[in-house]
Amino acid sequence: MDSSASERSHTESAMIETNGLRYSYKTRRGPVEAVAGVNLRVAAGDLFGFLGPNGAGKTTTLRMLATLLPPDDGEATVAGCNLRREPQQVRERIGYVGQRGGTDPAITGRNELMFQARLYGAPAETARKRAAELLTVLDLEVCADRPTGSYSGGQRRRLDIGLGLVHRPRLLFLDEPTTGLDPQSRAYLWDEVRRLRDGGTTIFLTTHYLEEADALCNRLAIIDHGKIVAEGTPDELKRQIAGDVVTLGVAGDQQAVLALLAQQPFVRNSGTEQGLLRLYVDRGETAMPAILRLLDGAGLELQTVTLTRPSLDNVFLRQTGRSLRETAA
Amino acid sequence: MKTLRDTWIVFLRYLGLFVHNPAWIVIGVVQPLLYLLLFAPLLKSIAAAPGFPPGGAYNVFVPGLLIQLGMFGAVSVGFSLIAELRLGVIERLRVTPVSRLSLLLGRALRDILNLLIQSLLLILVSLPFGLNIHPVGLLVMLALLALIALLFASLSYAVALWLRSEDAFAPLVFTAALPLLLLSGVLLPLTLAPAWLRAIAAINPLAYAVDATRAIFNNHLGSVSVAKGVLIVAVLAFLALAVAARSFGRAAA
Ligand SMILES: Nc1ncnc2c1ncn2[C@@H]1O[C@H](COP(=O)(O)OP(=O)(O)OP(=O)(O)O)[C@@H](O)[C@H]1O
Ligand SMILES: [Mg+2]
């Protein structure tokens, strides 16, 4: 979509570069492999989207990059610093907004922001000013002096993001910034994220929403079972799918229909999902009549037919075998 | 320098949380008073028992109450940390460049301050009942209590970071604290105990703290047991501090 941004990402210096990052959680019932060798490159200025179904390893990857978890294996450079050798420098340069947020319900938003600014080294007066500034920018003045326990979901999420921004980091990690928000709050956060990007902040965000990734991000990576399964601009990823998708609802023997259609030359790929057959075809408008003729001839009954142009959802489904909508928390 | 500054900032946050919660203040005041009100009436009669150590009844029991107050107050501080772990507060703090030691020390200083105020209250209220303590003794006593609070608060935070669940934390901590307390001579002086019990108590660090406390309240400030008690608790407190600060640094999962 944003072609200038995607070109930039290949020429300019990397903000994040990882090589073979791995992490297994050590549990009482043995290790759980969460990230199984992740290679990523995020350029300065990117708005990078990290997609994947539940449990794919998104949060674990982020937590490693934010110095919260020491990688079992692999190397990474984050904001120009070596993750293993210079964690303190990495911390000074990045902002991180966790999936759960991280505010105390008994403390006011203003005090949380001031405390956070002081942790990053600001003197009291500077911290006060910065807090006031962020409260204005994030439209939180109405609730600034109330304990955060009384905030609405959207207000709390905006405060979380403000906490990640107090020290004006050049790289910001956002773990599912909009999950659980109403459409209005989400639109507001999208604008905020774009403003940050325009201001030169590199943003690495995870999301369950493909339309979010499509609308916001100039580069995407899809992770599944701890491995990157696809990477590129939204357009590149959609082009990988090429062609159209025909979805069929079958009344009777699904396997018979699948067997019949899968061997047709115009069908590139096929699969079933939740009682629906999905065919990837070169040209949907000519494939549809052919499909109908074939099924008629074989005496197989059809309930529904839909034709869709490729979307990121299809990419996701192809890469992970799951539809992102079902996995969304 | 940075550690000092960070510690101060973290201390202020947790002090603020405490001060803004009236429930904590009420509990903080009522607890020591309850100890006195419900325990003191028993003292008079028991002070006449054979083998009862010298000194007035209050001078024998208040030291024990102080240590008990300190220990139980300090071992339970981990509860609040578990709540913060769940909220993601600790993760948020760990992403900042704040010193890991400060994350622990700032909280522990708040806990120490809280305990010292409670202890002073208990001592002040006991004075009219015949407790007497030398001003220097009082200072040494408060220093010892601060070290005890640091020791048990650090341990409590380390265990909380390790277990991460109130359900596991409560039984473990209180089960561990009880024998320490019983075998310290806090509740009844160990001079009344049979030899085998005294032998076990000899390896209980808290018993040395109680000995030191009693010596302080008997105006034997120069006695070996004061130095021994303070030294043992100090060494253990700094070990516990190191362990807990390390846990804050790692705190995986
Ligand atoms: N503390 C933990 N202990 C053990 N296993 C864990 C822990 N945290 C995560 N896991 C496991 O690691 C894997 C990756 O989890 P992770 O949180 O990184 O996924 P995610 O992509 O962020 O998922 P979601 O979209 O649901 O947030 C999952 O299988 C998860 O169950
Ligand atoms: Mg996650």
Side-chain angles (χ1 to χ4, degrees):
Chain A
M1 35 165 301
D2 188 347
S3 65
S4 68
S6 77
E7 270 165 34
R8 222 174 31 223
S9 65
H10 291 292
T11 53
E12 271 183 28
S13 63
M15 186 58 87
I16 301 175
E17 191 142 28
T18 77
N19 191 357
L21 276 192
R22 285 181 172 275
Y23 193 83
S24 299
Y25 290 96
K26 288 92 203 156
T27 68
R28 286 182 187 109
R29 284 201 228 123
V32 177
E33 186 172 60
V35 175
V38 158
N39 303 323
L40 278 175
R41 189 176 194 282
V42 178
D46 269 353
L47 210 174
F48 195 96
F50 202 38
L51 291 159
N54 284 128
K58 302 183 293 296
T59 298
T60 308
T61 306
L62 247 65
R63 294 178 72 209
M64 278 194 278
L65 295 175
T67 75
L68 288 168
L69 287 177
D72 291 337
D73 197 19
E75 286 298 323
T77 311
V78 178
C81 302
N82 184 286
L83 187 61
R84 283 180 196 280
R85 287 194 303 273
E86 308 166 292
Q88 195 65 8
Q89 284 89 328
V90 171
R91 288 183 193 124
E92 281 161 12
R93 288 167 170 75
I94 64 164
Y96 170 85
V97 179
Q99 193 166 353
R100 288 172 300 181
T103 50
D104 192 304
I107 296 181
T108 67
R110 189 187 303 279
N111 283 341
E112 283 286 27
L113 286 167
M114 280 178 4
F115 172 65
Q116 186 88 349
R118 303 218 60 199
L119 290 184
Y120 281 101
E125 191 45 39
T126 317
R128 200 186 325 278
K129 284 205 191 99
R130 181 66 178 143
E133 201 175 290
L134 282 166
L135 288 167
T136 311
V137 172
L138 295 169
D139 197 17
L140 286 171
E141 273 158 337
V142 282
C143 54
D145 297 304
R146 264 197 277 134
T148 64
S150 70
Y151 283 21
S152 73
Q155 289 170 334
R156 187 164 311 129
R157 212 56 186 139
R158 294 209 296 277
L159 178 62
D160 290 338
I161 292 177
L163 290 169
L165 290 175
V166 286
H167 55 304
R168 300 190 176 82
R170 56 180 95 169
L171 170 61
L172 180 64
F173 291 99
L174 298 172
D175 199 355
E176 297 192 22
T178 62
T179 297
L181 293 187
D182 58 281
Q184 198 188 338
S185 301
R186 179 172 306 164
Y188 183 93
L189 275 182
W190 283 14
D191 286 344
E192 195 48 47
V193 167
R194 287 196 188 99
R195 252 200 302 280
L196 284 170
R197 189 260 328 264
D198 294 343
T201 310
T202 305
I203 296 162
F204 187 104
L205 64 83
T206 75
T207 177
H208 277 283
Y209 304 107
L210 285 159
E211 66 273 22
E212 182 161 290
D214 207 356
L216 281 178
C217 303
N218 68 305
R219 282 192 81 77
L220 301 174
I222 298 178
I223 183 172
D224 195 25
H225 300 300
K227 288 203 171 76
I228 304 289
V229 290
E231 217 221 303
T233 66
D235 280 344
E236 278 166 9
L237 291 182
K238 283 184 226 165
R239 234 177 286 136
Q240 282 180 8
I241 292 282
D244 300 327
V245 187
V246 179
T247 309
L248 305 173
V250 183
D253 186 355
Q254 213 180 43
Q255 287 313 312
V257 178
L258 186 62
L260 175 67
L261 294 176
Q263 56 183 316
Q264 300 306 317
F266 59 83
V267 175
R268 289 162 144 234
N269 210 323
S270 61
T272 62
E273 184 218 341
Q274 285 206 327
L276 294 175
L277 286 184
R278 212 175 270 269
L279 306 175
Y280 297 87
V281 299
D282 287 328
R283 294 185 57 208
E285 56 274 33
T286 57
M288 289 255 275
I291 290 170
L292 296 178
R293 264 197 313 278
L294 277 165
L295 292 184
D296 244 5
L300 292 163
E301 203 183 323
L302 210 55
Q303 281 182 327
T304 58
V305 188
T306 25
L307 172 65
T308 38
R309 302 286 167 191
S311 68
L312 275 179
D313 207 13
N314 302 130
V315 178
F316 195 83
L317 188 63
R318 273 280 287 279
Q319 299 296 351
T320 70
R322 274 165 284 182
S323 164
L324 203 47
R325 276 165 227 293
E326 303 154 23
T327 69
Chain B
M1 221 25 245
K2 173 175 160 51
T3 306
L4 275 184
R5 178 186 178 275
D6 285 356
T7 304
W8 177 244
I9 294 168
V10 174
F11 168 74
L12 287 181
R13 174 189 177 89
Y14 289 101
L15 186 66
L17 268 176
F18 200 79
V19 171
H20 285 121
N21 190 339
W24 281 119
I25 298 194
V26 172
I27 291 172
V29 173
V30 167
Q31 226 175 19
L33 297 185
L34 270 182
Y35 269 110
L36 267 189
L37 194 73
L38 302 180
F39 208 56
L42 300 169
L43 296 183
K44 291 246 158 58
S45 33
I46 210 164
F52 195 85
Y58 275 82
N59 273 48
V60 171
F61 276 96
V62 167
L65 290 187
L66 286 173
I67 292 206
Q68 195 175 349
L69 188 72
M71 181 172 174
F72 274 110
V75 293
S76 47
V77 297
F79 276 110
S80 65
L81 180 60
I82 293 176
E84 281 183 289
L85 280 167
R86 194 169 298 126
L87 287 166
V89 177
I90 300 305
E91 180 164 295
R92 167 188 144 210
L93 301 186
R94 289 202 324 117
V95 185
T96 74
V98 69
S99 140
R100 315 287 108 161
L101 176 61
S102 300
L103 282 182
L104 173 70
L105 206 52
R107 311 175 72 106
L109 285 180
R110 190 271 315 258
D111 302 329
I112 290 173
L113 181 69
N114 174 35
L115 175 73
L116 290 186
I117 291 173
Q118 289 193 359
S119 303
L120 263 178
L121 200 71
L122 184 73
I123 291 172
L124 285 179
V125 175
S126 306
L127 288 176
F129 293 96
L131 177 81
N132 63 71
I133 183 168
H134 191 271
V136 178
L138 180 63
L139 288 182
V140 178
M141 185 63 225
L142 292 180
L144 179 61
L145 282 171
L147 288 170
I148 290 176
L150 181 62
L151 167 61
F152 287 104
S154 301
L155 288 178
S156 180
Y157 287 132
V159 172
L161 285 167
W162 171 47
L163 292 177
R164 292 166 174 271
S165 121
E166 285 95 345
D167 295 343
F169 179 83
L172 184 90
V173 162
F174 291 112
T175 311
L178 198 61
L180 273 183
L181 201 65
L182 288 176
L183 291 178
S184 68
V186 155
L187 301 178
L188 287 173
L190 282 167
T191 44
L192 298 170
W196 63 270
L197 210 56
R198 278 206 298 269
I200 303 179
I203 54 163
N204 179 1
L206 208 57
Y208 293 94
V210 173
D211 277 351
T213 316
R214 291 238 160 80
I216 293 169
F217 276 86
N218 284 333
N219 270 326
H220 296 149
L221 268 180
S223 96
V224 202
S225 46
V226 175
K228 208 154 96 185
V230 172
L231 198 70
I232 290 177
V233 177
V235 168
L236 291 177
F238 285 102
L239 284 179
L241 188 66
V243 169
R246 231 174 94 83
S247 310
F248 259 102
R250 287 182 312 178

